[in-house]
PDB file of all heavy atoms in Angstrom:
ATOM      1  N   ASP A 214       5.619  -3.619 -11.440  1.00 91.00           N
ATOM      2  CA  ASP A 214       5.928  -2.204 -11.187  1.00 91.00           C
ATOM      3  C   ASP A 214       4.655  -1.389 -11.014  1.00 91.00           C
ATOM      4  O   ASP A 214       4.563  -0.515 -10.149  1.00 91.00           O
ATOM      5  CB  ASP A 214       6.754  -1.656 -12.352  1.00 91.00           C
ATOM      6  CG  ASP A 214       7.433  -0.341 -12.001  1.00 91.00           C
ATOM      7  OD1 ASP A 214       7.422   0.040 -10.812  1.00 91.00           O
ATOM      8  OD2 ASP A 214       7.972   0.309 -12.916  1.00 91.00           O
ATOM      9  N   MET A 215       3.628  -1.665 -11.844  1.00 92.00           N
ATOM     10  CA  MET A 215       2.361  -0.938 -11.752  1.00 92.00           C
ATOM     11  C   MET A 215       1.638  -1.234 -10.434  1.00 92.00           C
ATOM     12  O   MET A 215       1.109  -0.330  -9.775  1.00 92.00           O
ATOM     13  CB  MET A 215       1.470  -1.315 -12.926  1.00 92.00           C
ATOM     14  CG  MET A 215       0.131  -0.589 -12.950  1.00 92.00           C
ATOM     15  SD  MET A 215      -1.011  -1.313 -14.142  1.00 92.00           S
ATOM     16  CE  MET A 215      -1.319  -2.919 -13.391  1.00 92.00           C
ATOM     17  N   LEU A 216       1.608  -2.526 -10.029  1.00 91.00           N
ATOM     18  CA  LEU A 216       0.940  -2.905  -8.785  1.00 91.00           C
ATOM     19  C   LEU A 216       1.589  -2.226  -7.580  1.00 91.00           C
ATOM     20  O   LEU A 216       0.900  -1.663  -6.717  1.00 91.00           O
ATOM     21  CB  LEU A 216       0.975  -4.428  -8.621  1.00 91.00           C
ATOM     22  CG  LEU A 216       0.080  -5.247  -9.549  1.00 91.00           C
ATOM     23  CD1 LEU A 216       0.375  -6.731  -9.387  1.00 91.00           C
ATOM     24  CD2 LEU A 216      -1.386  -4.968  -9.277  1.00 91.00           C
ATOM     25  N   ILE A 217       2.899  -2.291  -7.521  1.00 91.00           N
ATOM     26  CA  ILE A 217       3.604  -1.704  -6.384  1.00 91.00           C
ATOM     27  C   ILE A 217       3.409  -0.191  -6.350  1.00 91.00           C
ATOM     28  O   ILE A 217       3.246   0.417  -5.277  1.00 91.00           O
ATOM     29  CB  ILE A 217       5.097  -2.072  -6.446  1.00 91.00           C
ATOM     30  CG1 ILE A 217       5.269  -3.575  -6.182  1.00 91.00           C
ATOM     31  CG2 ILE A 217       5.905  -1.264  -5.445  1.00 91.00           C
ATOM     32  CD1 ILE A 217       6.689  -4.053  -6.241  1.00 91.00           C
ATOM     33  N   SER A 218       3.400   0.428  -7.512  1.00 91.00           N
ATOM     34  CA  SER A 218       3.174   1.869  -7.567  1.00 91.00           C
ATOM     35  C   SER A 218       1.786   2.231  -7.038  1.00 91.00           C
ATOM     36  O   SER A 218       1.620   3.202  -6.281  1.00 91.00           O
ATOM     37  CB  SER A 218       3.343   2.364  -9.004  1.00 91.00           C
ATOM     38  OG  SER A 218       3.083   3.742  -9.097  1.00 91.00           O
ATOM     39  N   ASN A 219       0.772   1.444  -7.397  1.00 91.00           N
ATOM     40  CA  ASN A 219      -0.586   1.694  -6.905  1.00 91.00           C
ATOM     41  C   ASN A 219      -0.686   1.463  -5.407  1.00 91.00           C
ATOM     42  O   ASN A 219      -1.381   2.208  -4.702  1.00 91.00           O
ATOM     43  CB  ASN A 219      -1.577   0.799  -7.640  1.00 91.00           C
ATOM     44  CG  ASN A 219      -1.703   1.144  -9.107  1.00 91.00           C
ATOM     45  OD1 ASN A 219      -1.398   2.272  -9.515  1.00 91.00           O
ATOM     46  ND2 ASN A 219      -2.145   0.195  -9.921  1.00 91.00           N
ATOM     47  N   TRP A 220      -0.012   0.436  -4.907  1.00 91.00           N
ATOM     48  CA  TRP A 220      -0.057   0.172  -3.467  1.00 91.00           C
ATOM     49  C   TRP A 220       0.548   1.330  -2.673  1.00 91.00           C
ATOM     50  O   TRP A 220       0.041   1.698  -1.610  1.00 91.00           O
ATOM     51  CB  TRP A 220       0.697  -1.121  -3.143  1.00 91.00           C
ATOM     52  CG  TRP A 220       0.126  -2.341  -3.794  1.00 91.00           C
ATOM     53  CD1 TRP A 220      -1.126  -2.468  -4.334  1.00 91.00           C
ATOM     54  CD2 TRP A 220       0.777  -3.596  -3.996  1.00 91.00           C
ATOM     55  NE1 TRP A 220      -1.294  -3.722  -4.871  1.00 91.00           N
ATOM     56  CE2 TRP A 220      -0.152  -4.440  -4.674  1.00 91.00           C
ATOM     57  CE3 TRP A 220       2.027  -4.098  -3.687  1.00 91.00           C
ATOM     58  CZ2 TRP A 220       0.161  -5.745  -5.029  1.00 91.00           C
ATOM     59  CZ3 TRP A 220       2.341  -5.395  -4.044  1.00 91.00           C
ATOM     60  CH2 TRP A 220       1.420  -6.219  -4.697  1.00 91.00           C
ATOM     61  N   LYS A 221       1.619   1.883  -3.191  1.00 90.00           N
ATOM     62  CA  LYS A 221       2.263   3.013  -2.499  1.00 90.00           C
ATOM     63  C   LYS A 221       1.389   4.261  -2.532  1.00 90.00           C
ATOM     64  O   LYS A 221       1.311   5.005  -1.547  1.00 90.00           O
ATOM     65  CB  LYS A 221       3.622   3.292  -3.132  1.00 90.00           C
ATOM     66  CG  LYS A 221       4.652   2.193  -2.908  1.00 90.00           C
ATOM     67  CD  LYS A 221       5.955   2.477  -3.635  1.00 90.00           C
ATOM     68  CE  LYS A 221       6.629   3.696  -3.082  1.00 90.00           C
ATOM     69  NZ  LYS A 221       7.934   3.953  -3.733  1.00 90.00           N
ATOM     70  N   LYS A 222       0.710   4.494  -3.649  1.00 91.00           N
ATOM     71  CA  LYS A 222      -0.128   5.686  -3.764  1.00 91.00           C
ATOM     72  C   LYS A 222      -1.317   5.631  -2.814  1.00 91.00           C
ATOM     73  O   LYS A 222      -1.646   6.615  -2.154  1.00 91.00           O
ATOM     74  CB  LYS A 222      -0.615   5.835  -5.206  1.00 91.00           C
ATOM     75  CG  LYS A 222       0.462   6.242  -6.188  1.00 91.00           C
ATOM     76  CD  LYS A 222      -0.099   6.346  -7.595  1.00 91.00           C
ATOM     77  CE  LYS A 222       0.978   6.731  -8.598  1.00 91.00           C
ATOM     78  NZ  LYS A 222       0.447   6.799  -9.992  1.00 91.00           N
ATOM     79  N   GLU A 223      -1.993   4.487  -2.743  1.00 90.00           N
ATOM     80  CA  GLU A 223      -3.185   4.400  -1.909  1.00 90.00           C
ATOM     81  C   GLU A 223      -2.852   4.321  -0.421  1.00 90.00           C
ATOM     82  O   GLU A 223      -3.749   4.487   0.413  1.00 90.00           O
ATOM     83  CB  GLU A 223      -4.006   3.169  -2.305  1.00 90.00           C
ATOM     84  CG  GLU A 223      -3.329   1.832  -2.037  1.00 90.00           C
ATOM     85  CD  GLU A 223      -4.161   0.645  -2.492  1.00 90.00           C
ATOM     86  OE1 GLU A 223      -5.220   0.895  -3.113  1.00 90.00           O
ATOM     87  OE2 GLU A 223      -3.762  -0.507  -2.228  1.00 90.00           O
ATOM     88  N   ALA A 224      -1.582   4.094  -0.076  1.00 88.00           N
ATOM     89  CA  ALA A 224      -1.189   4.009   1.333  1.00 88.00           C
ATOM     90  C   ALA A 224      -0.647   5.324   1.870  1.00 88.00           C
ATOM     91  O   ALA A 224      -0.198   5.377   3.028  1.00 88.00           O
ATOM     92  CB  ALA A 224      -0.141   2.902   1.509  1.00 88.00           C
ATOM     93  N   VAL A 225      -0.702   6.379   1.058  1.00 88.00           N
ATOM     94  CA  VAL A 225      -0.137   7.667   1.496  1.00 88.00           C
ATOM     95  C   VAL A 225      -0.862   8.197   2.717  1.00 88.00           C
ATOM     96  O   VAL A 225      -0.250   8.741   3.644  1.00 88.00           O
ATOM     97  CB  VAL A 225      -0.207   8.683   0.328  1.00 88.00           C
ATOM     98  CG1 VAL A 225       0.189  10.073   0.820  1.00 88.00           C
ATOM     99  CG2 VAL A 225       0.695   8.239  -0.807  1.00 88.00           C
ATOM    100  N   GLU A 226      -2.192   8.008   2.774  1.00 87.00           N
ATOM    101  CA  GLU A 226      -2.990   8.561   3.867  1.00 87.00           C
ATOM    102  C   GLU A 226      -3.094   7.611   5.054  1.00 87.00           C
ATOM    103  O   GLU A 226      -3.821   7.908   6.001  1.00 87.00           O
ATOM    104  CB  GLU A 226      -4.383   8.897   3.356  1.00 87.00           C
ATOM    105  CG  GLU A 226      -4.391   9.920   2.214  1.00 87.00           C
ATOM    106  CD  GLU A 226      -5.787  10.183   1.699  1.00 87.00           C
ATOM    107  OE1 GLU A 226      -6.726   9.517   2.199  1.00 87.00           O
ATOM    108  OE2 GLU A 226      -5.948  11.049   0.826  1.00 87.00           O
ATOM    109  N   PHE A 227      -2.419   6.491   4.999  1.00 88.00           N
ATOM    110  CA  PHE A 227      -2.527   5.503   6.073  1.00 88.00           C
ATOM    111  C   PHE A 227      -1.177   5.312   6.765  1.00 88.00           C
ATOM    112  O   PHE A 227      -0.136   5.767   6.279  1.00 88.00           O
ATOM    113  CB  PHE A 227      -3.035   4.167   5.525  1.00 88.00           C
ATOM    114  CG  PHE A 227      -4.411   4.240   4.919  1.00 88.00           C
ATOM    115  CD1 PHE A 227      -4.579   4.433   3.555  1.00 88.00           C
ATOM    116  CD2 PHE A 227      -5.539   4.133   5.714  1.00 88.00           C
ATOM    117  CE1 PHE A 227      -5.831   4.499   2.984  1.00 88.00           C
ATOM    118  CE2 PHE A 227      -6.807   4.190   5.162  1.00 88.00           C
ATOM    119  CZ  PHE A 227      -6.951   4.387   3.787  1.00 88.00           C
ATOM    120  N   GLU A 228      -1.241   4.610   7.878  1.00 88.00           N
ATOM    121  CA  GLU A 228      -0.044   4.454   8.708  1.00 88.00           C
ATOM    122  C   GLU A 228       0.942   3.464   8.114  1.00 88.00           C
ATOM    123  O   GLU A 228       2.145   3.705   8.099  1.00 88.00           O
ATOM    124  CB  GLU A 228      -0.466   4.007  10.115  1.00 88.00           C
ATOM    125  CG  GLU A 228       0.683   3.833  11.075  1.00 88.00           C
ATOM    126  CD  GLU A 228       0.226   3.375  12.441  1.00 88.00           C
ATOM    127  OE1 GLU A 228      -1.004   3.268  12.650  1.00 88.00           O
ATOM    128  OE2 GLU A 228       1.088   3.124  13.304  1.00 88.00           O
ATOM    129  N   GLN A 229       0.435   2.350   7.613  1.00 90.00           N
ATOM    130  CA  GLN A 229       1.296   1.292   7.085  1.00 90.00           C
ATOM    131  C   GLN A 229       1.685   1.589   5.635  1.00 90.00           C
ATOM    132  O   GLN A 229       0.932   2.246   4.905  1.00 90.00           O
ATOM    133  CB  GLN A 229       0.591  -0.061   7.170  1.00 90.00           C
ATOM    134  CG  GLN A 229       0.238  -0.492   8.583  1.00 90.00           C
ATOM    135  CD  GLN A 229       1.462  -0.724   9.439  1.00 90.00           C
ATOM    136  OE1 GLN A 229       2.525  -1.083   8.942  1.00 90.00           O
ATOM    137  NE2 GLN A 229       1.328  -0.499  10.741  1.00 90.00           N
ATOM    138  N   PRO A 230       2.853   1.112   5.181  1.00 91.00           N
ATOM    139  CA  PRO A 230       3.311   1.420   3.814  1.00 91.00           C
ATOM    140  C   PRO A 230       2.500   0.761   2.707  1.00 91.00           C
ATOM    141  O   PRO A 230       2.574   1.178   1.563  1.00 91.00           O
ATOM    142  CB  PRO A 230       4.760   0.919   3.804  1.00 91.00           C
ATOM    143  CG  PRO A 230       4.834  -0.072   4.904  1.00 91.00           C
ATOM    144  CD  PRO A 230       3.875   0.381   5.946  1.00 91.00           C
ATOM    145  N   SER A 231       1.721  -0.280   3.021  1.00 91.00           N
ATOM    146  CA  SER A 231       0.867  -0.916   2.024  1.00 91.00           C
ATOM    147  C   SER A 231      -0.250  -1.667   2.744  1.00 91.00           C
ATOM    148  O   SER A 231      -0.203  -1.878   3.957  1.00 91.00           O
ATOM    149  CB  SER A 231       1.660  -1.877   1.130  1.00 91.00           C
ATOM    150  OG  SER A 231       2.005  -3.054   1.842  1.00 91.00           O
ATOM    151  N   LYS A 232      -1.235  -2.081   1.969  1.00 92.00           N
ATOM    152  CA  LYS A 232      -2.360  -2.806   2.560  1.00 92.00           C
ATOM    153  C   LYS A 232      -1.933  -4.165   3.100  1.00 92.00           C
ATOM    154  O   LYS A 232      -2.534  -4.678   4.057  1.00 92.00           O
ATOM    155  CB  LYS A 232      -3.470  -2.980   1.523  1.00 92.00           C
ATOM    156  CG  LYS A 232      -3.023  -3.623   0.224  1.00 92.00           C
ATOM    157  CD  LYS A 232      -4.119  -3.541  -0.828  1.00 92.00           C
ATOM    158  CE  LYS A 232      -3.654  -4.057  -2.180  1.00 92.00           C
ATOM    159  NZ  LYS A 232      -4.692  -3.867  -3.231  1.00 92.00           N
ATOM    160  N   PHE A 233      -0.897  -4.761   2.522  1.00 92.00           N
ATOM    161  CA  PHE A 233      -0.421  -6.051   3.015  1.00 92.00           C
ATOM    162  C   PHE A 233       0.341  -5.884   4.328  1.00 92.00           C
ATOM    163  O   PHE A 233       0.290  -6.767   5.193  1.00 92.00           O
ATOM    164  CB  PHE A 233       0.447  -6.719   1.949  1.00 92.00           C
ATOM    165  CG  PHE A 233      -0.253  -6.894   0.640  1.00 92.00           C
ATOM    166  CD1 PHE A 233       0.112  -6.156  -0.472  1.00 92.00           C
ATOM    167  CD2 PHE A 233      -1.303  -7.787   0.512  1.00 92.00           C
ATOM    168  CE1 PHE A 233      -0.536  -6.303  -1.679  1.00 92.00           C
ATOM    169  CE2 PHE A 233      -1.962  -7.946  -0.695  1.00 92.00           C
ATOM    170  CZ  PHE A 233      -1.585  -7.193  -1.796  1.00 92.00           C
ATOM    171  N   HIS A 234       1.016  -4.780   4.488  1.00 92.00           N
ATOM    172  CA  HIS A 234       1.639  -4.484   5.776  1.00 92.00           C
ATOM    173  C   HIS A 234       0.567  -4.272   6.848  1.00 92.00           C
ATOM    174  O   HIS A 234       0.754  -4.671   8.002  1.00 92.00           O
ATOM    175  CB  HIS A 234       2.521  -3.242   5.663  1.00 92.00           C
ATOM    176  CG  HIS A 234       3.772  -3.455   4.864  1.00 92.00           C
ATOM    177  ND1 HIS A 234       3.790  -3.392   3.489  1.00 92.00           N
ATOM    178  CD2 HIS A 234       5.045  -3.746   5.244  1.00 92.00           C
ATOM    179  CE1 HIS A 234       5.024  -3.622   3.050  1.00 92.00           C
ATOM    180  NE2 HIS A 234       5.805  -3.829   4.089  1.00 92.00           N
ATOM    181  N   PHE A 235      -0.556  -3.652   6.462  1.00 93.00           N
ATOM    182  CA  PHE A 235      -1.648  -3.474   7.424  1.00 93.00           C
ATOM    183  C   PHE A 235      -2.212  -4.821   7.861  1.00 93.00           C
ATOM    184  O   PHE A 235      -2.468  -5.052   9.052  1.00 93.00           O
ATOM    185  CB  PHE A 235      -2.760  -2.614   6.813  1.00 93.00           C
ATOM    186  CG  PHE A 235      -4.050  -2.690   7.584  1.00 93.00           C
ATOM    187  CD1 PHE A 235      -4.194  -1.996   8.788  1.00 93.00           C
ATOM    188  CD2 PHE A 235      -5.104  -3.463   7.128  1.00 93.00           C
ATOM    189  CE1 PHE A 235      -5.378  -2.082   9.504  1.00 93.00           C
ATOM    190  CE2 PHE A 235      -6.291  -3.549   7.837  1.00 93.00           C
ATOM    191  CZ  PHE A 235      -6.430  -2.852   9.037  1.00 93.00           C
ATOM    192  N   LEU A 236      -2.456  -5.727   6.882  1.00 93.00           N
ATOM    193  CA  LEU A 236      -2.988  -7.046   7.239  1.00 93.00           C
ATOM    194  C   LEU A 236      -2.042  -7.786   8.174  1.00 93.00           C
ATOM    195  O   LEU A 236      -2.478  -8.420   9.145  1.00 93.00           O
ATOM    196  CB  LEU A 236      -3.222  -7.860   5.973  1.00 93.00           C
ATOM    197  CG  LEU A 236      -4.481  -7.539   5.161  1.00 93.00           C
ATOM    198  CD1 LEU A 236      -4.470  -8.295   3.836  1.00 93.00           C
ATOM    199  CD2 LEU A 236      -5.732  -7.879   5.954  1.00 93.00           C
ATOM    200  N   ALA A 237      -0.757  -7.725   7.889  1.00 92.00           N
ATOM    201  CA  ALA A 237       0.224  -8.393   8.749  1.00 92.00           C
ATOM    202  C   ALA A 237       0.212  -7.792  10.147  1.00 92.00           C
ATOM    203  O   ALA A 237       0.313  -8.521  11.149  1.00 92.00           O
ATOM    204  CB  ALA A 237       1.614  -8.289   8.132  1.00 92.00           C
TER     205      ALA A 237
END
């Protein structure tokens, strides 16, 4: 839960919903 919450917070300013979506 903590990891997913951090991924969502840091992706607010980016196009993709998370850094793993960006890599894909």
Side-chain angles (χ1 to χ4, degrees):
D214 196 10
M215 181 192 67
L216 288 172
I217 291 179
S218 178
N219 293 337
W220 299 342
K221 292 176 65 177
K222 289 179 181 178
E223 66 182 6
V225 172
E226 300 178 357
F227 298 95
E228 181 181 356
Q229 299 296 331
S231 73
K232 54 190 175 185
F233 304 110
H234 289 83
F235 165 76
L236 282 172

